[in-house]
Amino acid sequence: MSAAYIFDVEGTLIDCVPDILKCWSETLAAFGVSVPTADLQLMSGMDGDAMLATLVPGLDEHARKKILTAQGERYRAVYLPRVRAFPGVRTVFTAIKSHGARIALATDCQSDELKRYRSLMNVDDLIDATACGDEVSKGKPDPGLVQLALDHLGGTPAALATMIGDTPFDAQAARSAGATAWGTLSGGHAKSSLIDAGCSLVVPSVGDLERYITGQTTLVSVHQH
């Protein structure tokens, strides 16, 4: 049992990855840039600027900034009002708290988006700390967000923390910070990608974590099935 559980939000607690990918496609198309959805999916969860630099290397920093701003505006206006929380979030958070562990959110999204997500999850009374995208200069896979979440938890040692996310970039950030990484398949990434990135446990969705936290299932079983 970890002393702290740090959760990614988009794609892990909130069902919004298809909306984010659609928003990216539309925004890039508006700038005359064509990127296959499959390529966007592979980069889903990566720092936005780093993703653009990888997918469209011909764009300079100014052009990337314009696209990022436009994508954010489109997402807030069109998609943010539609998204929903995954089932089971409160049950999992309650199980964690009943074992005396603490909970933090570490998300690349901006604070206004996080406010909307929190209103959908109904777990504000169970969250001990948050680390948001507008508090760091780089998003995941940079470990800054995970380290910030640990700081906000009062300096919990990374070795006693588990980070749960839906992308390889969450896992890379967790491992770089020195924390354990668990993954969910709810963001559309392959199980093999999550394991290769350092996840010691991969489950279909956040609701499936409860039995691991309450100790009903040993971690070994995930490698046997």
Side-chain angles (χ1 to χ4, degrees):
M1 180 83 196
S2 291
Y5 290 84
I6 302 169
F7 286 85
D8 167 60
V9 177
E10 294 178 319
T12 303
L13 304 177
I14 298 289
D15 187 1
C16 59
V17 172
D19 300 293
I20 290 172
L21 294 177
K22 195 158 185 286
C23 185
W24 267 115
S25 291
E26 291 168 358
T27 305
L28 288 166
F31 281 86
V33 178
S34 178
V35 176
T37 304
D39 291 353
L40 285 170
Q41 170 66 69
L42 283 174
M43 299 285 165
S44 171
M46 185 190 248
D47 173 80
D49 188 61
M51 182 190 82
L52 284 175
T54 305
L55 290 175
V56 200
L59 293 173
D60 61 22
E61 190 181 349
H62 176 70
R64 294 198 304 268
K65 204 161 271 187
K66 279 182 74 172
I67 292 173
L68 281 166
T69 302
Q71 192 273 345
E73 289 170 354
R74 181 187 291 265
Y75 180 71
R76 285 179 182 83
V78 179
Y79 294 100
L80 190 59
R82 304 180 186 177
V83 300
R84 294 286 175 266
F86 283 114
V89 176
R90 188 167 182 90
T91 306
V92 169
F93 279 27
T94 303
I96 290 170
K97 299 298 280 192
S98 72
H99 282 74
R102 306 180 78 205
I103 295 171
L105 305 180
T107 171
D108 287 347
C109 76
Q110 304 299 295
S111 50
D112 59 332
E113 294 168 325
L114 181 58
K115 188 177 176 185
R116 167 71 180 152
Y117 296 148
R118 287 176 71 149
S119 74
L120 298 171
M121 293 189 290
N122 183 34
V123 287
D124 268 4
D125 55 317
L126 304 174
I127 296 169
D128 297 293
T130 61
C132 216
D134 41 22
E135 295 179 82
V136 293
S137 57
K138 284 183 181 170
K140 301 163 200 162
D142 186 273
L145 268 170
V146 181
Q147 290 162 342
L148 188 62
L150 291 166
D151 289 346
H152 289 342
L153 285 171
T156 300
L160 301 179
T162 297
M163 164 93 194
I164 297 104
D166 64 302
T167 79
F169 311 109
D170 293 308
Q172 288 162 7
R175 300 303 294 135
S176 296
T180 297
W182 288 0
T184 67
L185 297 173
S186 48
H189 285 275
K191 183 177 181 178
S192 57
S193 299
L194 296 171
I195 291 170
D196 289 347
C199 287
S200 58
L201 170 70
V202 177
V203 296
S205 191
V206 62
D208 300 294
L209 289 170
E210 187 196 1
R211 58 201 175 110
Y212 296 97
I213 286 155
T214 54
Q216 294 166 1
T217 311
T218 61
L219 283 183
V220 180
S221 67
V222 76
H223 302 297
Q224 292 171 343
H225 298 303

